[in-house]
Amino acid sequence: MKPVSSRLSRRALALSVLALSVFTPSAFAQDKPPLKILVGFPPGGSADVLARMVAEALKDDFGPIIVDNKPGAGGRIALNLVKAAKPDGQTVIILPSGPMVLFPHVYKKLDYDAVKDFTPISQIARFQFGVVSGPASNVKTVAEMVAKAKTDPNSASYGTPGAGTLPHFMGVLMEQSAGITLNHIPFQGGAPANTALLGGHIGYKFDVVSETAELHRTGKVRIIAVTGNQRDPQVPEVPTLRESGVNMDATAWFAMYGPAGLRGETLARLEKAMMKIARDPVTKDKMVKLGYEVIGSNANDLAAAQRADLARWEKPIKATGVQLD
């Protein structure tokens, strides 16, 4: 009979061989923590849906990916977490353009620098907003809306998901472009604004097209125009503002950013993967069905787009006098 110590040694060796067969090279690659994509908004919203779509498309190149929702303060809580993260490519954020191009003009004291504290990675997709007419206004066209606002300014109240948001300033741009006065009513999110619109408490609403498209299709509200330079595939029968006689077009975008200092091969890997997603027909088709114009830019193009929109929004925002704490 073999000594116990000999049998144990053989067993330990066998277990070691089994462990090596299980931990393949791909498993060893998981020494690094999984890529974390932060989202500054609750689950189920447009930013969250897009982030999960991107995570699914990236898993072949990056392995398991965590989508971590950190809602609050219009995305600023998540942005500050990214700002404080190490520039090792393990923590990024997907967010709409508002916090990067509007907030620097809107907030008196912003706790981040939208340019210096982050590294642009890729502009993912562009999207537009709808001018939505509710039961209280009973308006079917932009021409009717403009005429009614000029004769009865008190009737032209519009709701948005909040003061300082992109829909708020879409309304401001329309005021300036159409030569009318609109009364802005901010709500705590898109759902309360929808409730007020359906209940006849406000005449209009500015919001992302996808948030109101179903209500439009069922006839509960009417999207009378979209704010981009081309019609939205979700509601192709709805004209643009320019087609409706208002000399204006404005869109927003979703993008991926990392903390400042992200560079070299780490940045290049993320940038390349995001550009690859934009060329993937399956992922692209999903985005188009959500009403997005797919971009998939490189880091330099995102930085240029951010600079351009920072400059574009400065004047209309300052003209409103809106300053938030």
Side-chain angles (χ1 to χ4, degrees):
M1 186 174 185
K2 293 182 181 179
V4 173
S5 59
S6 175
R7 294 201 305 272
L8 289 175
S9 297
R10 289 175 181 273
R11 185 183 180 195
L13 178 61
L15 288 173
S16 297
V17 171
L18 176 61
L20 286 173
S21 68
V22 172
F23 290 101
T24 60
S26 61
F28 280 122
Q30 296 304 314
D31 286 346
K32 294 176 70 176
L35 175 66
K36 182 186 291 186
I37 301 177
L38 293 182
V39 178
F41 302 91
S46 52
D48 175 70
V49 170
L50 184 64
R52 293 179 189 280
M53 197 179 296
V54 168
E56 177 66 21
L58 287 178
K59 69 180 183 181
D60 288 343
D61 293 322
F62 287 84
I65 296 171
I66 296 172
V67 176
D68 192 4
N69 297 85
K70 298 292 184 183
R76 286 177 289 152
I77 290 174
L79 270 170
N80 276 297
L81 290 172
V82 174
K83 173 185 171 181
K86 293 179 180 179
D88 57 5
Q90 297 304 124
T91 304
V92 297
I93 187 169
I94 288 178
L95 78 168
S97 51
M100 307 306 281
V101 303
L102 293 187
F103 288 6
H105 304 308
V106 172
Y107 286 90
K108 295 175 184 177
K109 293 181 180 179
L110 198 59
D111 46 8
Y112 61 84
D113 187 304
V115 175
K116 295 180 181 178
D117 289 336
F118 305 97
T119 300
I121 296 172
S122 179
Q123 191 178 30
I124 303 168
R126 190 177 292 112
F127 62 98
Q128 54 182 319
F129 296 81
V131 184
V132 189
S133 168
S137 68
N138 196 31
V139 160
K140 297 179 175 61
T141 66
V142 169
E144 287 181 36
M145 177 184 180
V146 171
K148 192 171 183 178
K150 287 181 176 179
T151 57
D152 183 13
N154 292 327
S155 70
S157 59
Y158 74 98
T160 69
T165 60
L166 277 159
H168 175 190
F169 292 110
M170 292 290 173
V172 171
L173 275 183
M174 185 172 177
E175 280 186 289
Q176 296 171 352
S177 302
I180 58 177
T181 299
L182 299 174
N183 180 30
H184 176 230
I185 309 294
F187 291 87
Q188 295 296 316
N194 270 343
T195 300
L197 186 71
L198 290 167
H201 304 294
I202 54 175
Y204 308 96
K205 187 182 80 143
F206 283 75
D207 206 353
V208 180
V209 173
S210 58
E211 299 292 335
T212 321
E214 190 57 34
L215 290 172
H216 169 80
R217 292 187 195 102
T218 56
K220 294 179 180 179
V221 301
R222 183 187 294 268
I223 302 176
I224 59 175
V226 293
T227 63
N229 60 11
Q230 59 187 11
R231 296 193 179 196
D232 192 295
Q234 298 172 99
V235 285
E237 74 281 6
V238 176
T240 66
L241 280 170
R242 287 194 186 277
E243 288 179 300
S244 304
V246 177
N247 188 29
M248 164 192 161
D249 65 75
T251 56
W253 36 264
F254 281 107
M256 177 182 282
Y257 286 82
L262 188 63
R263 56 174 64 91
E265 288 299 317
T266 304
L267 172 59
R269 185 184 180 210
L270 284 163
E271 181 186 41
K272 182 179 178 181
M274 293 304 296
M275 294 171 72
K276 177 183 173 184
I277 286 177
R279 297 190 299 269
D280 174 54
V282 175
T283 306
K284 186 173 181 178
D285 183 60
K286 289 179 182 178
M287 290 187 188
V288 169
K289 286 179 179 177
L290 290 174
Y292 298 134
E293 178 189 346
V294 182
I295 301 173
S297 76
N298 60 34
N300 288 336
D301 286 345
L302 171 54
Q306 183 182 353
R307 287 193 300 270
D309 275 5
L310 271 167
R312 177 181 188 180
W313 285 107
E314 183 175 9
K315 185 176 179 180
I317 290 172
K318 285 186 175 179
T320 68
V322 172
Q323 282 280 280
L324 303 178
D325 293 326

